[in-house]
Structure formats: structure tokens, C-alpha cells
Amino acid sequence: MTRVLELDGITKRFGAVTANEDVSLHLDRGEIVALLGENGAGKTTLMSILFGHYTADEGTVKVEGAELPPGKSRAAIKAGVGMVHQHFALAPNLTVLDNVMTGTESLWKLRSDRRAGRKRLVELSERFGLKVDPDARVSDLSVGECQRVEILKALYNDARILILDEPTAVLTAQEAEGLFATLKDMAAKGLSLIFISHKLGEVMSASDRVVVLRRGKVVAERRTAETSKEELAELMVGRAVKRPERPPATPGAVLLEAVDLSLGGRGGASLKSVNFRLHANETLGVIGVSGNGQTTLAGVVSGLHAPDAGALLVEGQEVTRFDVPHAIASGIGRIPEDRNAEGSIGDMATWENAVLERIWSPEFSKGGVVKRGAARAETQAIIDTYDVRGASIDGRIRLLSGGNMQKLILGRVLNAGPKILVAAQPSRGLDEGAIAGVHERLLEARGRGAGVLLISEDLDEVMALSDRICAIVNGRLSPAIPAEKANSQLLGLMMAGDWSAAEKIEGDNAL
Amino acid sequence: MSTLLDILSSIGMWEAVLRIATPLIFGTLGVLLCERVGVLNLGIEGIMTFGAMVGWLTVYSGGDLWTGMLAAAAAGALFGLLHALMTVPLGLSQHVTGLGITLFASSLSYYIFRLAVPTASSPPTVEPFRPIEIPGLSDIPFVGQVLFSQTPPTYLALALVVLLAWGLYRTPLGLALRMTGENPHAADAQGIDPILLRIGAIMGGSALMAMGGAFLTLAAFNSFFPTMVQGRGWICVALVVFASWKPARALLGALLFAFFDAFQLRLQTVVDGVPYQLFLMLPYLLSILALILMARRARVPQALMQPYRRGER
């Protein structure tokens, strides 16, 4: 085993905050190491130091025995370290080849050798199975393809050590699987990899060794083969975390009913003749691979799009006006899929974000004037009740971590006491502790009599929270099966479009 | 109708188009270079005025014409540096800084002009660039007569279009510049210093703007007066949008505007009974129309007007 990378005694402080404290870690050739930790544990800071984005206060980084000068990403690139950022560092208006070639030639050359660049890119993409069109504009690529471009960028720079910062945060479950297959293949071909993650499942399945980081310190190191999800979860959070159990509940009256709901084109994927019923005191889980129409479904129910055909009935009343204010007024609460783009306005204050959805209700405004006192009181109540850490009433919401922003959004929705709750990918990108919190709140809403429409691509989540589960495939909704009859194999079949078993089960359990 | 055809088929008209377009080409390329790295430079109107003044003053005090152009470029680059320092490392508002520079540079031009010639009532003139006929080529009927009997700065402007297009699209430096304007974080991650590139490009762009100004005094009007730029700078800012940030289309835009301008000048003399101000409006109106038609498909540099700070998203 050759040691290719060694971090020794790294300490980094930002003012009074210590992001990394005496962190040491190493990487051998051909090895995949997972750097596991909750959001804010200091994983990204550590990797930014390694890559020369930050300068460490103490400690050294050695690549293949040679010490890297601090604070120089150029030096890190030259030494063979490649970084795949969580937020892609790509220019959408430029082509794949442009993005890959930037900065790889001497800037003073009078002519860029694009032919050689293209050849090299194609070779690399074939060798590592990272298929992508060199001349495609990056804005036309899917998220998964963008990530391939990021990896290719690193490989093009002769990276022998690859660092991936939360590589699956923006990927669909399928894309993530494909990615890890690629990573394993790369390790087999002699590359060495570190990936940052807070997802136990992928750490267990894809890594050789796990380094657990908590509050900036290395708390444990395990060979993956010799540990378990449970142990890692406890090491990561510092205490045993348990996702809440779903108590049995008796469904009440039908709150929401879709009858042959169809919508083509708009809002992403289309919907084709979708039927479902959501009862009071019930969670209906909709599982599916991203891009199969679940975003559109959530959009229709929450008033963003009007269907082309079919009807949506809220408590037996047909919805005639599809807009957000009407949806909210009829008791529908929403947890949007993308909390940064749709769930919040980053540069506005926490209190503004907390009440904007209901700003016209007499509770928060009168005669066109905002009742700031009431709005701020409500915000403080949400922050206290839902334990939104790091939030101040007047602070910009952008500064909150994903988990805390989600808590605020949950609080905002649940405080309005919705009868129907649309929760789209509610725990995407959150760490273990935060997920448990979100699940608890969703179960609480159901316990209080709300109907919860849970849209998710996480099998564990859907099985843990739902009373009935259906799959969405290509805009069509499968029959719903009771959660007791669900297992990952059956749900997998349903997600793949094979509904024969599900139809039989639904027939036996008609509601 | 026949007068229209007479205008359109006269060599003088088309010569004028190129002449009128020249300062616009310089200015548009200048704005384009700045915006391609992500920085709006509204200092252009003032920088052009200052370039006009410096060019004129250099020649007036005994320098030769090319020294005048060069001095103007250097002065423009200095104002570019000022704009760059405020907008790039300090990340101040690009609008406010640019307008401030326009006000500052315009006033300073007049001040220096008045120091140089305190008393003269009519602005003193200099011996300007003369048209140079390129042997052989200028004898080609019509096209040759129009294209190849211009002043040297016009040839330079046309050459710069090719040079900038090549530079931006065919060289590694050009790719790095474009990347800086699209996503400075990505540039930084590839080991390119976006701050340095931005400062350099703004200085270069501002030098071009000042040369456009110097063309006015050294090849068009032969003397300096403070209001001579007359909104050409603003037109350049609009032309860059019209051009979708592409040098070849910038040339096209400048020519189009110059065509309308030359055309309306000649219309004024042949059409009676219409206030001449209406004709003056023509190029601006048509430019707005063209802008509306073209700009909808434009690909704006994604990081335009976004200051870059390391480690911040």
C-alpha cells in the first residue's frame, strides 16, 4: 500500500469558531475513504484546506510524500489532487470541452489546441465510462451529466487523488448508484478517492474505510467491513439516533381526491390520468425516480399548475382556480422540493420568509400594511418551537444550514394548521439528526388529522412514514398498497412499472 | 425614390458609414471585453471624452498622431484600473462606480483642456489622420473605394475585431477570460485568478474606449470640445447587448448604427418640411428596435455584475 495523501494535525479557526481541530487522516492508493459527518462537522472546510482554498492555521498536507504549499489550488492541481465540488463549478453558457479545458494550457499560447483537448477528453470519458458530449452546452446537461463533467475536469488535470464533496446531494437515487459504480471502477484503476457524505447507506456500500468527523475533530476511523450503519450513526451524531416509529392511525374522510388528472408538458414531466384519494389522518407515499412527474403532481396540488383534464377535489369540492393563494386558503400546506429556489428567498429576513406565504391574511396585514409585530412574534414562535438553530428574526435566511431552513419551512407550514400537507422530498440533503426531526413533525401533522401527501425517492423514508404507498412512473400513478404489505422488492417492481402485484394487493384492500 | 437610391449608391455615403462606425467599434469592443469578464463599465462615456482630450492634447503639444492614440489608450487604461480596483477587489456597485467615472473623467477632460488653452474661443485644431489608399485594393470599384480609402485608425479598429474574436475564442487566455465572466468560481477552481484577469480586461477594454474617443479628435473633428462624445459611449453599451457579446456582431451593430446615422444626415438635406430633429432620432429609434429583436436571444455572461469573493457563493 502506497500512501498517497497525508493530512497531519490540521487546525482551522474562523474567528472564535474552530472548524477543524488537530485533524489527521491518510489515503492509500486505490482506496475509497468516506469522510462522514453531519452538516457543519467541518468536512468541507477540511477538504478546502487540502485543495488550497483555505489556509490552515496549523498542520501540513502531504501528497505522495511532498508537502503542499498552503493556500494554492494551482499547486494542489499540479500535485494531482482533483476536487469535485458539491455546487458544480461550471459555466452553463460554455461547452463541456470549454469547461474542461479552462486553465489547462499556458495562458499565453496564441492558439488553443482544441483538437488535442477533445481527443484527451473523449479518451478519458471512454476509459472511465463517463459518457458526455464534448460539444454540448453545459446548460443543456442533466445534473448527473454535470457531475460527470466535474469529474472529467479533475481527470483531465491528471488527478490521481479525487475528492468529492457530497457527490450525491443533487443526484437521483439511480444516478447515485451509477456514480458509485464509476468511483469503484476508478479506484480499481489506481485512483485514490475521498468522498464526503452524511448518508450512511452510501458510505456503507461504497467505501473501504470511514473517517468520522464530529464538531471538527476525528472521532473514529473504521474499516467499512468491520462496522455497521448503527455504529456509524451513533459515532456521527454523538448519541444514538432513532427515526420515529409510525403509530397506527385510522384514516378519516377523504380530504383530497384526484380524478383522471392529466397535464402535458408544463412544469417538467407530464401527468397522465392520475387518480388517488388522500384521507384525513393518513399519509400517502408517492415513490418514484426523479423526473417521472412527481414534481408536477406536487405543483398541481399546491396550485402552481392547472391540469389540462380531470379534476382535483378538496373535501369533495372541485378546485376551479389553480393558484397558490387559493390553494393555501383551502387548507393546503406545502413543503417544496427545492427549499432554496422555491421554499425561501435567500436574501430576505427570516421573519419575511416565515410569513410571506400568508402575508395577505388578516393575521399579518391590515389595509395593505404589514403587521410587523405579529409577524415577528410568529417567527420567534416558529424558531423556538421547531428549534431552528442559528436563526435570528432579522437575519438573512440564506445563512441557515439546510436542516435548519427545513425546520423553519416545516414550522411555517404546520403553524398554519393545514388540512392537507404536500411534502416533496422533505429530507433531501439533510443529515441523520435533521431527518429524524422532519419525520417526527410529519407524523405529528398526520396524528393531528391532516392528510399528508409524501413525495419522495427514498424507499426507507416512504416505508417508514406512509400508510399507503404508490409509485409514479412516467406520469402515471400505480395502485396504492398498504405499507404493511410493502417491501423494497415490491416497491422496486412498482417503480419499474410492473404493477400486477400491486393491483392484486389493492384489490384485496380497497378503501 | 430616386434620391434615396442616389444616397444609397453614393461612395461618399458608405465611406461615411465606416468613418462614423470607427469610434463605435473601438468603444463596443471595449465594453465587450469588460463585460466578458463580468464587469459592466459605464465609465465609457467619460473615458471616451478623456481619450479624445488626451489624444488631441498630445498632438497639439507636438506629439505625432500615433503617440496621441497611444497616450489616449494609456490614459484610458488608467481609468480602467480605477474602475477595476473599485469594482473587483472592493466589489462596489458597478453602476455607481461607472457613472462616477464618467462624471469624473468628463469634468477632468474639460478642466485639463481649459488649463491647456485658457483663452481661445474656438477650439484649436490639429492636423488629423489622412485617408490612406491601399494600393491596388482601393482601385476596386465601389467596394475597394469604400473599404480601402479610410484613415489608419479605421483599419486598426477592423483589425481589432478579428484580433479580439480570435483572442476570445481561439486562445487559452480567451477561454479563461470567458470563464471568468461566466463563473469566476470555476475559473478559480482551475487555478486561474479571476481578480487579476478582471482587472487586466477592464484596463484593456478601457484603453479601447479611449482610443475610440481619440479617433474623434484625431481623425473626425480635428479639435476637442467637451460634449463631442455625445452619447456614443451609451450606444456602445447597447450595441454589446445587440451583439450578444460577440465581436463580429459588435462590428455589425456599429455599422448598422453608423448606416442609419449617415443616412439620416443625407436625408436631412433632401427632404423638406420635416423638422431635422426627427431625422436625428432615426438611428436611435432603429437601434432600439434592433436591440429588441436581437437581445431576446442573447446569452448574457452569467457572472455579469456579480463581484467575486473567494469562498463565497
Side-chain angles (χ1 to χ4, degrees):
Chain A
M1 279 281 170
T2 338
R3 189 143 299 184
V4 291
L5 177 70
E6 198 155 12
L7 278 78
D8 192 27
I10 300 280
T11 299
K12 173 73 183 170
R13 297 179 198 92
F14 294 103
V17 183
T18 306
N20 289 140
E21 195 178 338
D22 194 23
V23 174
S24 301
L25 104 104
H26 67 92
L27 178 68
D28 293 331
R29 185 175 310 285
E31 193 184 28
I32 302 182
V33 167
L35 189 58
L36 179 71
E38 291 202 284
N39 291 328
K43 303 171 304 232
T44 302
T45 307
L46 185 65
M47 291 303 111
S48 296
I49 290 169
L50 161 57
F51 196 64
H53 274 307
Y54 295 140
T55 312
D57 296 321
E58 285 158 41
T60 55
V61 179
K62 277 188 194 161
V63 177
E64 288 166 354
E67 195 173 322
L68 279 188
K72 291 215 170 69
S73 22
R74 188 103 244 173
I77 294 173
K78 274 210 171 129
V81 181
M83 180 127 177
V84 176
H85 297 264
Q86 181 181 1
H87 308 275
F88 301 139
L90 296 172
N93 272 345
L94 304 184
T95 66
V96 170
L97 186 59
D98 283 340
N99 272 280
V100 170
M101 284 186 74
T102 302
T104 58
E105 295 176 284
S106 157
L107 286 186
W108 307 114
K109 263 174 68 175
L110 290 180
R111 185 175 184 147
S112 172
D113 194 349
R114 294 179 65 84
R115 187 175 298 170
R118 173 192 313 270
K119 191 162 161 256
R120 185 166 157 67
L121 176 62
V122 170
E123 270 169 18
L124 283 169
S125 93
E126 277 167 9
R127 186 160 147 228
F128 292 101
L130 296 157
K131 239 181 155 178
V132 64
D133 171 12
D135 298 309
R137 225 177 262 278
V138 168
S139 55
D140 297 334
L141 301 184
S142 72
V143 184
E145 286 173 307
C146 284
Q147 188 163 54
R148 270 177 243 158
V149 178
E150 277 282 7
I151 296 174
L152 282 167
K153 251 167 77 178
L155 295 175
Y156 192 96
N157 280 326
D158 284 322
R160 295 180 299 280
I161 299 163
L162 210 56
I163 296 156
L164 300 106
D165 188 2
E166 307 215 356
T168 59
V170 289
L171 299 187
T172 64
Q174 264 184 339
E175 284 173 327
E177 237 168 76
L179 171 72
F180 283 117
T182 308
L183 296 187
K184 281 180 180 165
D185 180 46
M186 289 164 84
K189 285 175 177 152
L191 291 171
S192 320
L193 302 108
I194 296 180
F195 75 92
I196 298 178
S197 178
H198 57 241
K199 295 182 188 162
L200 297 168
E202 64 189 38
V203 167
M204 288 302 295
S205 70
S207 69
D208 301 315
R209 193 152 55 85
V210 191
V211 174
V212 186
L213 216 56
R214 189 169 75 227
R215 290 170 198 242
K217 291 185 208 166
V218 173
V219 291
E221 197 185 321
R222 296 279 185 278
R223 300 222 68 86
T224 310
E226 294 159 11
T227 185
S228 66
K229 258 193 192 181
E230 290 70 30
E231 187 195 18
L232 288 179
E234 199 167 335
L235 286 168
M236 173 169 74
V237 185
R239 61 191 151 80
V241 190
K242 239 183 132 227
R243 292 193 183 180
E245 297 266 319
R246 174 171 54 93
T250 36
V254 176
L255 287 179
L256 183 70
E257 182 170 5
V259 184
D260 285 333
L261 216 51
S262 294
L263 175 62
R266 277 166 298 133
S270 47
L271 290 181
K272 294 164 197 155
S273 192
V274 164
N275 288 288
F276 66 84
R277 280 184 184 160
L278 175 65
H279 301 81
N281 250 318
E282 180 193 47
T283 299
L284 175 65
V286 177
I287 188 140
V289 178
S290 259
N292 271 298
Q294 54 271 73
T295 308
T296 317
L297 177 61
V300 172
V301 175
S302 46
L304 288 174
H305 323 290
D308 295 335
L312 189 69
L313 283 72
V314 175
E315 292 183 280
Q317 295 284 316
E318 184 170 347
V319 178
T320 49
R321 297 197 50 184
F322 286 87
D323 58 32
V324 174
H326 279 85
I328 291 172
S330 63
I332 295 174
R334 309 163 302 154
I335 299 171
E337 184 175 326
D338 184 339
R339 56 184 157 269
N340 295 307
E342 293 177 313
S344 64
I345 305 170
D347 284 318
M348 282 173 70
T350 308
W351 76 265
E352 290 168 315
N353 273 288
V355 301
L356 192 56
E357 206 168 54
R358 286 188 288 152
I359 199 72
W360 295 108
S361 80
E363 207 180 331
F364 297 120
S365 68
K366 189 183 175 187
V369 179
V370 176
K371 294 183 181 168
R372 294 173 77 105
R376 296 169 64 93
E378 166 81 0
T379 310
Q380 190 61 56
I382 294 174
I383 291 176
D384 294 342
T385 322
Y386 291 85
D387 187 27
V388 185
R389 287 186 210 159
S392 69
I393 295 180
D394 294 306
R396 286 186 300 158
I397 198 167
R398 182 188 293 287
L399 303 175
L400 293 184
S401 72
N404 283 304
M405 193 185 284
Q406 195 71 331
K407 284 186 202 165
L408 187 93
I409 291 173
L410 268 168
R412 166 176 88 184
V413 170
L414 296 180
N415 262 21
K419 289 184 296 237
I420 297 162
L421 181 60
V422 184
Q425 321 288 359
S427 54
R428 184 181 274 181
L430 303 186
D431 58 41
E432 205 49 40
I435 292 174
V438 169
H439 285 188
E440 212 164 295
R441 295 299 180 177
L442 291 179
L443 288 173
E444 234 173 74
R446 162 180 170 271
R448 194 185 33 69
V452 180
L453 183 65
L454 172 69
I455 294 172
S456 173
E457 53 177 5
D458 181 342
L459 277 176
D460 293 340
E461 178 170 80
V462 171
M463 289 201 284
L465 296 181
S466 316
D467 300 296
R468 288 183 302 137
I469 303 173
C470 50
I472 188 161
V473 186
N474 249 331
R476 293 180 191 281
L477 210 56
S478 78
I481 60 168
E484 300 76 55
K485 306 252 161 110
N487 55 48
S488 48
Q489 202 183 355
L490 177 58
L491 290 179
L493 275 177
M494 285 163 65
M495 284 161 74
D498 181 353
W499 298 347
S500 48
E503 268 154 14
K504 189 170 174 299
I505 294 174
E506 190 190 42
D508 298 343
N509 296 270
L511 255 176
Chain B
M1 209 51 219
S2 66
T3 47
L4 277 185
L5 279 180
D6 283 347
I7 292 175
L8 289 178
S9 61
S10 80
I11 289 172
M13 153 92 189
W14 292 100
E15 267 178 9
V17 169
L18 266 182
R19 194 169 57 242
I20 295 170
T22 302
L24 299 176
I25 297 173
F26 277 112
T28 309
L29 293 183
V31 176
L32 191 145
L33 186 54
C34 295
E35 295 194 1
R36 267 301 171 120
V37 293
V39 179
L40 180 72
N41 190 349
L42 293 183
I44 178 169
E45 186 78 9
I47 293 172
M48 282 183 89
T49 310
F50 200 76
M53 189 280 296
V54 170
W56 169 83
L57 187 62
T58 310
V59 178
Y60 180 66
S61 14
D64 75 19
L65 286 162
W66 284 110
T67 314
M69 283 301 263
L70 219 62
L78 275 181
F79 271 107
L81 180 63
L82 180 65
H83 185 62
L85 289 180
M86 295 211 270
T87 54
V88 181
L90 296 178
L92 301 180
S93 157
Q94 299 179 4
H95 287 102
V96 175
T97 308
L99 291 175
I101 284 186
T102 281
L103 292 174
F104 175 48
S106 305
S107 318
L108 192 64
S109 308
Y110 189 49
Y111 180 65
I112 295 176
F113 174 68
R114 270 304 167 208
L115 286 181
V117 275
T119 51
S121 57
S122 67
T125 56
V126 294
E127 187 58 31
F129 279 107
R130 293 282 168 212
I132 292 182
E133 304 205 338
I134 296 180
L137 293 176
S138 61
D139 296 333
I140 305 169
F142 203 81
V143 175
Q145 284 163 304
V146 169
L147 270 179
F148 299 108
S149 47
Q150 296 286 341
T151 58
T154 301
Y155 299 130
L156 177 62
L158 294 174
L160 279 170
V161 174
V162 179
L163 208 69
L164 191 64
W166 177 276
L168 279 177
Y169 289 101
R170 293 294 165 84
T171 67
L173 179 63
L175 179 55
L177 288 169
R178 287 187 288 137
M179 182 60 81
T180 301
E182 296 288 346
N183 186 348
H185 298 279
D188 201 2
Q190 291 281 81
I192 288 165
D193 186 346
I195 302 276
L196 220 59
L197 282 194
R198 281 189 167 174
I199 294 176
I202 297 169
M203 288 178 70
S206 304
L208 291 178
M209 297 169 188
M211 287 168 80
F215 176 87
L216 295 176
T217 46
L218 300 183
F221 298 102
N222 313 345
S223 61
F224 174 79
F225 44 99
T227 56
M228 69 190 309
V229 176
Q230 267 198 321
R232 284 184 178 83
W234 309 137
I235 291 291
C236 293
V237 175
L239 284 178
V240 170
V241 182
F242 171 84
S244 252
W245 292 267
K246 293 190 174 83
R249 280 172 64 174
L251 171 66
L252 184 76
L255 288 174
L256 201 67
F257 183 86
F259 168 77
F260 292 137
D261 203 22
F263 190 56
Q264 65 86 14
L265 272 173
R266 281 156 183 78
L267 273 187
Q268 281 182 39
T269 59
V270 296
V271 181
D272 284 328
V274 181
Y276 75 93
Q277 285 91 344
L278 277 180
F279 289 114
L280 278 179
M281 280 163 51
L282 192 71
Y284 298 94
L285 276 178
L286 291 173
S287 301
I288 289 173
L289 195 71
L291 192 60
I292 291 169
L293 290 176
M294 301 290 284
R296 293 188 0 193
R297 287 178 303 160
R299 274 181 205 276
V300 190
Q302 292 293 297
L304 185 58
M305 288 187 278
Q306 288 171 9
Y308 174 68
R309 292 186 193 91
R310 253 194 162 188
E312 207 176 81
R313 295 219 159 249

